Amino acid sequence: MPITTVFTAEIKKISILDEHANFDEKLGDGLIPNEDLLKLYEAMVACRHLDEVAFRLQRSGRMGTYPQNMGQEATSLGAAYVLRKDDWMVTCYRENCGLFWRGVPMEAILLHWMGDERGNAMPKPHWVTPIYVPLGTQMLHAAGLTLAAKYRGIDRIACTFFGDGAASEGDFHEACNFASNLEIPVVFVCQNNFWAISTPSKINSAAPTFAQRGISYGMPCVQVDGNDIFATVYAMKQAMEYTRKHGKPYFIEMVTYRLADHTTADDAKRYREDAEVESWRRKDPIIRLNAHLKNLRIWDDDKEVALKEKVALDIAAAVARAENITPPERTDAFDNMYAETPADLALQRDTRHTHSLGQDPSQLPIEAQERAAQMDAAAFAAHAAH
Amino acid sequence: MHLPFDEWERGARLTAIMSNPMFREPLSIAGAHREIEFRDAVREAMSEEMRRDKRVYLLGEEVAQYDGAYKVSKGMLAEFGAARVIDTPISESGFAGMAIGSAMLGLRPIVEFMSWSFSLVAADPILNNAPKMLYMSGGQFGCPIVFRGNDGAGGQLASTHSWSVEGLFSNVPGVKIVIPSTPADAKGLLKTAIRDDDPVFFLESERLLSMKGHVPEGEYLIPFGHAAIRRVGKDCTLCSWGRPVHFCMEAAEILAKEGIDCEVIDLRTIRPLDLPTVVASVRKTNVAVVVDQSWSFASPGSELAAQIHKHCFDELDNFVHRVHSDDVPTPYAAGLEQEYLPNVRKICEAVRSATYRA
């Protein structure tokens, strides 16, 4: 028999709560307790409201470029809901909802996009990495973090997020290859939102799914409706179970849609059809969850109004905290370059108000000049010893 | 292997390394009777550090089963096991980026590039990521990683495999760059590099790997930013690092016969750069020649020359002369490669010119 089949594969798609709020009870019943479901809904509404506030802040010059999360809330939130609190969440830049779920304060995210380095230091107990804007970097870090966890004998997985665009980066393929070959527990979450700025996903992949990319690295892979919080939670639970049990990676493609522009510096109307955007507005993850909660009779319009009032107050307070932070010192940029600031860098820092790039010790305060002279003398003495 | 988390945190900070006068001596070190090869010295440094610190591990292409493409890691897999000596797929960007991730959870990776020329495909992790990690995480994640491998022309490896990457990489703040010229320095500097809390680029030379030299047994550390004066002289200061230091020593002997007494300074690290030692020497000799095997434009050599001009402006008898590789790709032909690199002839000519003896 000269020709045999050595490998076959199929990609399954998971959908539980569809855009018409039809609910698959077989898969969905008991998946998320009602009290959690309410919290997840509130998290999505809060994230959406922050988007609107951030957009206005940017337009009024109070914030730098900002990437809205609108339409994609259920992807990172579903993953964050399932992850253990000490698992790593290694994000790109459109995962606010999941980050807030883990307890990252809103002002940290606001501070980051307002252009303050202090917004990059993610509070450690939340086990998240700084926001990564270069596409792809974070996937290798997720692999490294889990390699280190395995090395140290710590039971901890990493979940890393990226888009359909970043799935074309070499780093994606290298991270998948490493995670598989080294047998480390990384969950790769591809958020296919159909647009990498203006590049449509069909340019990033000619294949029918992004999920199937996992197959070539020997990973289990699945596609889910990324606007369905039940589906993202369901898939993530399967991924968690698999990665923890086998210590190997898992691949989830979450199909979603970026309802907003790529960032506030983008105008998506220039490259995509209104009809397409409208069709996805009807698939909004918040609309369908709202309908589902009402079907369950645990939500009503009064609660909605109350929630929105509360969220608006919380966010206004977070904005105030972010805006009222003491501005960075002129010399702060020199901190955190090295574990210990070298003398020449310290000189550059201390003399930066001058024109000479800090090369001339005579620009230093007198005491510092004396220290520099002593160093110079010591060097002469060492030399003279020869 | 499992330890409480705190014991793995960054904290074994290198604070108390003092400059040891022994390492300012010329090439053969007093008191060290054992001669081993450069590659053995590199291995000894890695092995000693891996024995004392379980956070340290080695990864790269062929480093484990095959003992390393240049046998630098020979026997390390047998001693430390596959968890700490890791063979990677052929993807430099991948293992460099992964090493950074592992450093974020407390490990201290040694990343071997078979050649620094191959690090160019890992430019994003090693230049855009490692040196900025501390800064861009608001001080949260350091990057205590040593990237090491062969740098410079390896002997007819042709242009794409013969990069002197210090010319490119020394421009980037946040890195430390070490270029040892002797086996003893390789050991002492690599041990310091492994204990350093910042990313260190450690540039070896394939042409030096088989070179034998006196290397002390056991523990010693050579601090960064401390040049070695390899030869004391009064007429001209020759500044170099890495392999060309040996060409400078050879040139100095030739020039001595002509009555030109050269002082040879081996910088050992170019970030940080030991300016006080250079400046003190040039203020004595009044003549400086910088020998750097990277291309001349915007290079470590041009930086050093600029610094000498600034700090010794009144003492210089001539402008600082520089010897670099020619501004062409590294030639494949043996004769052309030698002519392309800084060599004894070029150095002698530069010194004669700088001292007005040409």
Side-chain angles (χ1 to χ4, degrees):
Chain A
M1 212 158 66
I3 298 176
T4 56
T5 301
V6 292
F7 182 74
T8 55
E10 61 177 7
I11 300 293
K12 295 248 189 331
K13 177 164 184 177
I14 301 169
S15 168
I16 298 173
L17 178 67
D18 75 10
E19 61 183 287
H20 308 296
N22 297 316
F23 184 66
D24 186 312
E25 290 170 357
K26 196 167 150 234
L27 289 178
D29 267 356
L31 186 62
I32 307 173
N34 281 355
E35 68 259 34
D36 285 359
L37 208 49
L38 288 169
K39 285 183 196 154
L40 291 167
Y41 178 73
E42 288 169 12
M44 284 203 268
V45 169
C47 185
R48 181 69 59 93
H49 187 72
L50 181 78
D51 258 9
E52 291 160 13
V53 170
F55 184 83
R56 288 199 298 274
L57 287 171
Q58 192 277 336
R59 285 295 188 261
S60 55
R62 289 158 70 186
M63 183 183 272
T65 303
Y66 178 80
Q68 287 178 271
N69 292 241
M70 194 193 298
Q72 298 186 207
E73 291 88 349
T75 55
S76 63
L77 181 62
Y81 173 70
V82 177
L83 283 171
R84 254 177 25 192
K85 284 288 180 195
D86 61 348
D87 287 330
W88 284 94
M89 193 159 147
V90 187
T91 64
C92 188
Y93 51 77
R94 221 184 290 279
E95 292 84 13
N96 281 358
C97 208
L99 292 175
F100 297 151
W101 183 262
R102 285 180 84 91
V104 174
M106 275 185 179
E107 55 264 36
I109 301 295
L110 287 167
L111 211 52
H112 173 92
W113 295 107
M114 283 173 172
D116 192 311
E117 321 291 331
R118 289 167 289 187
N120 292 348
M122 293 293 174
K124 201 164 198 179
H126 302 305
W127 301 109
V128 298
T129 48
I131 290 170
Y132 289 101
V133 178
L135 301 177
T137 320
Q138 77 277 11
M139 301 177 236
L140 287 165
H141 292 180
L145 285 163
T146 44
L147 177 78
K150 183 181 173 183
Y151 185 105
R152 292 171 50 176
I154 303 171
D155 171 26
R156 192 177 292 172
I157 70 165
C159 179
T160 186
F161 298 82
F162 51 97
D164 44 301
S168 296
E169 294 283 0
D171 284 357
F172 160 73
H173 295 280
E174 297 189 29
C176 288
N177 201 24
F178 272 101
S180 285
N181 294 348
L182 294 174
E183 301 195 346
I184 46 179
V186 183
V187 180
F188 291 90
V189 176
C190 176
Q191 304 176 90
N192 175 11
N193 68 10
F194 289 93
W195 291 95
I197 312 185
S198 73
T199 305
S201 56
K202 66 173 186 280
I203 286 183
N204 277 303
S205 174
T209 71
F210 281 88
Q212 69 202 81
R213 292 198 175 180
I215 293 172
S216 54
Y217 299 105
M219 287 184 232
C221 28
V222 67
Q223 188 186 66
V224 305
D225 179 348
N227 286 4
D228 169 2
I229 187 71
F230 287 93
T232 58
V233 166
Y234 185 93
M236 194 62 198
K237 282 194 167 173
Q238 287 193 320
M240 277 276 283
E241 195 178 318
Y242 177 87
T243 49
R244 283 229 131 79
K245 186 173 170 194
H246 301 285
K248 290 179 183 176
Y250 198 97
F251 193 104
I252 305 172
E253 176 189 0
M254 296 187 177
V255 180
T256 180
Y257 193 80
R258 193 191 80 211
L259 288 174
D261 299 329
H262 168 67
T263 65
T264 46
D266 174 44
D267 178 7
K269 286 192 182 67
R270 294 162 67 161
Y271 52 81
R272 61 183 192 186
E273 300 293 331
D274 289 344
E276 178 187 300
V277 181
E278 277 313 308
S279 76
W280 279 97
R281 279 193 202 288
R282 292 193 291 274
K283 299 176 188 172
D284 189 316
I286 295 181
I287 293 174
R288 67 176 81 171
L289 185 55
N290 177 290
H292 182 68
L293 294 177
K294 284 177 177 167
N295 289 344
L296 292 174
R297 302 185 189 288
I298 56 175
W299 197 252
D300 56 41
D301 290 341
D302 290 343
K303 285 181 177 167
E304 183 81 13
V305 170
L307 171 64
K308 287 196 166 153
E309 281 174 4
K310 177 182 177 299
V311 160
L313 285 174
D314 288 349
I315 290 173
V319 170
R321 282 195 295 274
E323 287 194 323
N324 291 336
I325 192 170
T326 318
E329 291 291 321
R330 193 163 57 165
T331 53
D332 280 357
F334 290 82
D335 297 338
N336 299 328
M337 280 309 300
Y338 294 92
E340 289 170 33
T341 306
D344 58 340
L345 191 63
L347 182 66
Q348 205 174 104
R349 177 192 63 205
D350 297 342
T351 59
R352 66 177 316 212
H353 55 287
T354 70
H355 60 278
S356 77
L357 292 175
Q359 290 181 6
D360 192 345
S362 69
Q363 297 157 347
L364 285 174
I366 296 296
E367 323 80 71
Q369 278 191 47
E370 283 168 1
R371 275 202 304 277
Q374 280 165 8
M375 277 175 61
D376 208 26
F380 268 113
H383 187 79
H386 289 281
Chain B
M1 187 57 77
H2 186 67
L3 279 179
F5 193 77
D6 288 348
E7 292 184 39
W8 290 82
E9 290 302 280
R10 287 196 300 133
R13 180 166 289 184
L14 192 66
T15 48
I17 298 176
M18 299 302 292
S19 171
N20 183 340
M22 186 165 83
F23 299 105
R24 289 177 177 275
E25 294 291 319
L27 291 177
S28 80
I29 291 172
H33 302 297
R34 183 184 60 145
E35 277 202 6
I36 58 173
E37 287 185 3
F38 197 108
R39 60 164 58 78
D40 302 325
V42 171
R43 180 189 318 121
E44 200 165 275
M46 292 194 292
S47 297
E48 285 181 14
E49 291 306 301
M50 283 175 68
R51 280 177 211 129
R52 68 173 280 280
D53 186 348
K54 67 181 74 175
R55 298 172 301 178
V56 181
Y57 73 104
L58 172 68
L59 79 168
E61 293 155 357
E62 304 186 344
V63 296
Q65 294 285 350
Y66 190 62
D67 286 335
Y70 294 93
K71 307 303 164 203
V72 172
S73 54
K74 190 175 181 182
M76 289 180 67
L77 172 64
E79 179 175 355
F80 298 104
R84 298 185 70 194
V85 182
I86 300 175
D87 273 331
T88 67
I90 313 304
S91 46
E92 286 79 5
S93 183
F95 60 76
M98 205 173 62
I100 294 167
S102 74
M104 292 164 80
L105 195 56
L107 301 193
R108 303 178 77 91
I110 305 169
V111 176
E112 177 174 311
F113 291 121
M114 195 183 293
S115 160
W116 272 97
S117 297
F118 308 159
S119 76
L120 298 181
V121 296
D124 195 52
I126 70 169
L127 300 180
N128 207 13
N129 212 205
K132 304 175 178 176
M133 182 52 85
L134 190 65
Y135 183 93
M136 292 199 71
S137 64
Q140 194 172 15
F141 297 111
C143 222
I145 304 180
V146 178
F147 298 97
R148 47 159 290 271
N150 287 314
D151 178 66
Q156 283 198 278
L157 295 181
S159 173
T160 57
H161 286 44
S162 299
W163 274 83
S164 294
V165 293
E166 62 272 31
L168 290 178
F169 296 168
S170 60
N171 189 239
V172 180
V175 299
K176 294 178 179 173
I177 301 185
V178 181
I179 313 182
S181 68
T182 70
D185 273 8
K187 180 178 170 184
L189 288 166
L190 184 53
K191 284 169 70 77
T192 304
I194 293 167
R195 296 187 198 186
D196 200 283
D197 282 335
D198 297 310
V200 179
F201 294 178
F202 193 87
L203 278 50
E204 297 148 24
S205 164
E206 189 189 335
R207 300 299 295 271
L208 295 181
L209 285 180
S210 299
M211 173 194 162
K212 282 196 163 186
H214 295 283
V215 177
E217 290 181 63
E219 183 87 344
Y220 67 95
L221 299 164
I222 300 177
F224 293 167
H226 288 256
I229 297 166
R230 301 299 189 194
R231 187 184 193 281
V232 178
K234 62 181 191 329
D235 296 331
C236 175
T237 302
L238 269 169
C239 301
S240 193
W241 45 88
R243 186 180 172 217
V245 169
H246 300 279
F247 305 153
C248 290
M249 293 299 285
E250 216 178 306
E253 292 312 309
I254 293 169
L255 292 161
K257 294 189 182 104
E258 301 171 15
I260 308 173
D261 186 16
C262 289
E263 180 140 308
V264 179
I265 296 178
D266 179 353
L267 272 299
R268 303 202 278 204
T269 63
I270 54 174
R271 275 190 100 122
L273 192 62
D274 181 5
L275 270 184
T277 297
V278 173
V279 169
S281 173
V282 176
R283 284 179 183 164
K284 179 182 74 171
T285 64
N286 309 111
V287 178
V289 174
V290 175
V291 182
D292 171 7
Q293 66 172 351
S294 57
W295 291 307
S296 62
F297 196 97
S299 59
S302 61
E303 172 64 20
L304 183 57
Q307 296 281 359
I308 295 170
H309 280 129
K310 175 174 167 42
H311 293 285
C312 307
F313 191 73
D314 293 329
E315 288 94 347
L316 282 171
D317 285 347
N318 205 334
F319 67 88
V320 178
H321 283 47
R322 292 159 58 199
V323 182
H324 284 270
S325 291
D326 299 334
D327 277 331
V328 297
T330 312
Y332 194 3
L336 292 186
E337 182 186 286
Q338 204 193 340
E339 269 307 298
Y340 152 90
L341 290 168
N343 53 37
V344 175
R345 178 187 62 77
K346 287 186 190 176
I347 296 166
C348 286
E349 283 170 9
V351 172
R352 289 184 199 115
S353 169
T355 54
Y356 301 101
R357 313 279 182 95

